[in-house]
Amino acid sequence: MDATDRKLLDALRANARATYAQLAQLVGLSAPAVHERVAKLESGGVITGYHAAVAPESLGYAMNALVGVFITDSGDTDEIATSLAALPVVEDCWFVAGEETFVVKVRVPDVAGLEAAIRELNGIKGIGRTRTTVVLSTKFEDRVPAADPDA
Amino acid sequence: MDATDRKLLDALRANARATYAQLAQLVGLSAPAVHERVAKLESGGVITGYHAAVAPESLGYAMNALVGVFITDSGDTDEIATSLAALPVVEDCWFVAGEETFVVKVRVPDVAGLEAAIRELNGIKGIGRTRTTVVLSTKFEDRVPAADPDA
DNA sequence: GGTGAAAACAAAACCGA
DNA sequence: TCGGTTTTGTTTTCACC
């Protein structure tokens, strides 16, 4: 992983549909050379995928919330994580060291959807109570630090 | 936005570098027709971008944490949001209705980086105190509900 | 929304430092 | 080992139906 690789990573993070010719011009190499580097970044597990970002409101999901999950004394964290993964409303799931055991981010259409989501969460075996923090607005999201220090 | 558009969205979310020919085969249309649909989804603000997902550990960021930000009586939320945006360690920033005013997710290399991040946050004008919840492991992340109900 | 042709691009084999 | 060049097949993009 040299400076060229980091430049390629930043370029692909900004636009995953950039052509190899465009990337080649950016880093001053030929297109096949860039292709080879990107292939190595993919197979080496540095690049884990390419994803289109979709405006959630366009799909009718206008609301989200952070929910702290407190487990019961007998709750099994692996089992609970599996149950959380089975709920489509749960967008992110972090196992944390804090007051709660998990923090999840749920994405719902409206308050009725939020109520349903919280009821679903509270119904999961091993979950004691939840603490919900409603997101009023997302200032920014998914802003990974630049790979290239001169960016 | 019909069922075909939703299928295209899901396909591009799974693989943003899919070719129009591949997408065309998936939805049973011609490549130019798919191209036109995708262009409309882009210009209509449904697709907001295409991003390569990079394993944070590959860039030396092995740790992250959720930090609740409590503001002082005189704190201005817009001003604070701007200050938070200026910190590269802050990956996500939500303005919330709860005990805290903001919740941010920070991405750091190690505990020393976390300490530096918390010090930085506490140094911002208008921020009173912070409450940090260390993420032990990310069970999953950025899992937007499928656009296509039959997926 | 489909078709077809021109231009651009991607992937592979091969050559050179 | 890494990058450049060439070649071949695919894809994109445009005009037109």
Side-chain angles (χ1 to χ4, degrees):
Chain A
M1 266 262 285
D2 58 5
T4 303
D5 282 339
R6 282 189 283 272
K7 269 190 196 168
L8 291 173
L9 284 179
D10 283 339
L12 284 169
R13 281 209 326 227
N15 176 21
R17 282 181 80 78
T19 66
Y20 292 118
Q22 290 170 331
L23 296 172
Q25 193 173 11
L26 185 77
V27 300
L29 289 178
S30 68
V34 167
H35 182 243
E36 197 177 334
R37 277 172 177 269
V38 173
K40 276 183 188 162
L41 290 170
E42 288 168 356
S43 63
V46 178
I47 295 174
T48 58
Y50 302 95
H51 307 286
V54 176
E57 314 83 51
S58 307
L59 303 178
Y61 293 91
M63 192 174 188
N64 56 20
L66 296 165
V67 183
V69 173
F70 297 76
I71 71 171
T72 61
D73 291 350
S74 60
D76 176 58
T77 57
D78 288 340
E79 204 178 300
I80 294 170
T82 308
S83 304
L84 289 170
L87 299 183
V89 287
V90 180
E91 200 175 272
D92 306 75
C93 178
W94 301 287
F95 180 54
V96 300
E99 292 176 60
E100 47 267 294
T101 302
F102 291 97
V103 174
V104 301
K105 184 149 74 65
V106 298
R107 169 81 60 184
V108 290
D110 46 33
V111 274
L114 180 59
E115 179 178 342
I118 294 172
R119 283 176 188 277
E120 269 192 307
L121 289 172
N122 280 303
I124 290 176
K125 181 165 161 281
I127 292 183
R129 68 182 189 91
T130 56
R131 173 173 58 189
T132 300
T133 300
V134 172
V135 173
L136 299 174
S137 72
T138 297
K139 296 303 178 188
F140 49 87
E141 221 166 13
D142 291 331
R143 217 184 44 161
V144 183
D148 179 18
D150 333 326
Chain B
M1 267 262 285
D2 59 3
T4 303
D5 283 338
R6 281 189 284 272
K7 270 190 195 167
L8 291 173
L9 284 180
D10 283 339
L12 284 169
R13 281 210 324 225
N15 177 20
R17 283 179 79 80
T19 66
Y20 292 120
Q22 289 170 333
L23 295 172
Q25 193 173 10
L26 184 79
V27 299
L29 289 178
S30 67
V34 167
H35 182 242
E36 197 179 331
R37 277 172 178 268
V38 173
K40 276 183 187 160
L41 290 170
E42 289 168 354
S43 63
V46 178
I47 295 175
T48 57
Y50 302 95
H51 307 285
V54 176
E57 314 82 53
S58 306
L59 302 179
Y61 293 91
M63 192 176 188
N64 55 20
L66 296 164
V67 182
V69 173
F70 298 75
I71 69 170
T72 60
D73 291 350
S74 60
D76 175 59
T77 57
D78 288 340
E79 204 178 302
I80 294 170
T82 307
S83 303
L84 290 170
L87 299 183
V89 288
V90 179
E91 200 174 272
D92 306 76
C93 177
W94 301 288
F95 180 54
V96 300
E99 292 176 60
E100 47 266 295
T101 303
F102 291 96
V103 174
V104 300
K105 183 148 76 63
V106 297
R107 168 81 60 185
V108 290
D110 46 34
V111 273
L114 180 59
E115 179 178 342
I118 294 172
R119 282 177 189 276
E120 269 192 307
L121 288 172
N122 281 303
I124 289 176
K125 181 165 162 279
I127 292 184
R129 67 183 191 91
T130 56
R131 174 173 58 190
T132 300
T133 301
V134 172
V135 174
L136 298 173
S137 71
T138 297
K139 296 302 177 186
F140 49 86
E141 222 166 14
D142 291 332
R143 217 184 44 159
V144 183
D148 179 19
D150 332 328

